């Protein structure tokens, strides 16, 4: 295989197989699909000795990418892809199961250095970079500038002072409301200790719960929010002018920003008022163990990671890139660029599900105790800390 692009195709090109999954799509009817199709076509032209075959697959579930990696790696490796797009949960499982190839020196130092710190952490498992992070999303605040004419609602104190109802999915899609978890972690709270055992920190948890205790008393938060699990619901409420202060997903906002007016953006409010966010995302993992195929796979990944390709795709697909240079492709005139850049530089990955199993669930129990059962915030925090400690073996 030659590395020189533009040569006449060989009679037997190396066939490189990549499995992609939602939100990545080649469909012309899906956001960004046309950009992705054009990118693969351009790669084929530039690297005539490589032919790329792209297949759409689910990441998890029976017959999904992770399932194939787990069942076919030893018995039938020929059916596996060279590259697979995995979400964080699947990536962790694949890496710890030895099903993918750690990147180590396979990618260039310049590519490593180009990533947002949160993106690097997203593709790192047990201290090793095991994939190339490609797409991200996060939740953040939207608010009406016609209602908030003074200080933006970036801190918990400001939210209480303005007494404008604050809307977010209070019921967890997993173990804990993302908003509450973000506020706890933004204040330095931990879910696991250095020994890997569940732990909660009393001070930050007490402060977050005290905010909700006051917010309930001032009717800034309605217990009816426990009917909501999806930020798409709070986006719809904000878009339809039912509310003025909402936590939404970056995907929903970017897809629908033209439908709202007099709107500003901020991080989910926390005690300090400083930018902070939790990101999740999808990464390209290397499944092939053949050196020649690995070399070709890295060429394809690095091509897709070029700022122009990644920037154009993420812009059109309403997703966030993993490199500042790709975000810059969106254009300086886009008001979301500066906001996203600031927030992504201050972001960390959403905690692994294993880290949430005990501690995050205890946070949610404490949150519900304060909001739904009128338990004093300090007592609820103490109960949660004790519950996390008691779960440790």
């Amino acid at each position: 295989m030659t590395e020189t692009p533009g040569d006449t195709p060989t009679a037997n090109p190396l066939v490189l197989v990549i499995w992609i999954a939602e939100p990545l799509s080649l469909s012309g009817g899906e956001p960004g699909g046309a950009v992705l199709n054009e990118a693969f076509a351009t790669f084929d032209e530039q690297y005539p000795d490589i032919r790329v075959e792209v297949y759409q697959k689910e990441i998890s579930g029976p017959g999904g990418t992770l399932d194939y990696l787990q069942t076919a790696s030893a018995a039938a490796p020929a059916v596996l892809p060279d590259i697979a797009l995995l979400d964080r949960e699947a990536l962790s499982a694949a890496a710890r199961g030895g099903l993918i190839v750690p990147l180590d020196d396979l990618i260039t130092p310049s590519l490593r250095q180009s990533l947002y710190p949160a993106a690097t952490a997203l593709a790192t498992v047990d201290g090793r970079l095991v994939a190339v992070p490609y797409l991200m999303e996060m939740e953040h605040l939207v608010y009406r500038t016609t209602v908030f004419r003074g200080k933006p609602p970036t801190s918990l104190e400001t939210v209480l002072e303005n007494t404008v109802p604050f809307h977010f999915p209070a019921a967890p899609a997993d173990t804990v409301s993302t908003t509450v978890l973000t506020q706890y972690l933004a204040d330095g709270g931990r879910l696991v200790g250095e020994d890997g055992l569940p732990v909660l920190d009393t001070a930050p948890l007490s402060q977050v719960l005290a905010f909700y205790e006051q917010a309930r008393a001032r009717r800034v938060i309605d217990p009816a929010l426990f009917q909501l699990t999806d930020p798409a619901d709070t986006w719809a409420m904000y878009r339809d002018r039912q509310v003025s202060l909402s936590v939404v997903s970056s995907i929903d906002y970017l897809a629908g920003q033209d439908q709202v007016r007099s709107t500003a953006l901020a991080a989910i409010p926390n005690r300090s008022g400083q930018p902070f966010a939790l990101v999740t995302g999808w990464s390209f993992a290397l499944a092939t163990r053949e050196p020649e195929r690995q070399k070709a796979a890295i060429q394809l990944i690095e091509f897709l990671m070029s700022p122009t390709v990644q920037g154009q795709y993420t812009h059109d697909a309403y997703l966030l890139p993993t490199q500042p240079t790709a975000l810059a492709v969106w254009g300086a005139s886009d008001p979301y660029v500066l906001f996203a850049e600031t927030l992504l530089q201050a972001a960390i990955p959403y905690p692994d599900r294993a880290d949430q199993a005990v501690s995050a669930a205890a946070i949610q129990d404490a949150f519900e105790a304060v909001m739904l059962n009128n338990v004093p915030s300090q007592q609820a925090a103490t109960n949660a800390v004790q519950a996390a400690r008691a779960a440790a073996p």
Side-chain angles (χ1 to χ4, degrees), residues 1-4 6-15 44-45 47-51 292:
M1 182 183 69
T2 177
E3 293 185 24
T4 306
D7 288 353
T8 302
T10 60
N12 298 299
L14 186 152
V15 178
D44 286 341
E45 292 174 1
Y47 295 89
D49 290 343
I50 304 172
R51 179 162 60 86
E292 184 182 14

Side-chain angles (χ1 to χ4, degrees), residues 23-24 116 119 122 133-140 248-254 265 277-282 305 310-324 326-328 330 334 336-341 343-345 347:
L24 210 65
Y116 286 109
L122 193 65
Y134 196 58
L135 307 169
M136 296 191 295
E137 68 168 313
M138 61 184 174
E139 293 181 17
H140 58 72
V248 302
S249 78
S250 54
I251 293 177
D252 289 330
Y253 175 77
L254 289 169
L265 309 170
L278 299 179
V279 297
T280 187
W282 299 261
M305 286 291 290
Q310 190 187 36
Q312 289 178 346
Y313 175 75
T314 51
H315 177 272
D316 288 9
Y318 312 126
L319 292 157
L320 299 172
T322 53
Q323 308 171 96
L327 184 61
W330 292 21
D334 186 337
Y336 197 84
V337 170
L338 179 59
F339 167 73
E341 172 66 18
L343 206 47
L344 290 175
Q345 290 289 1

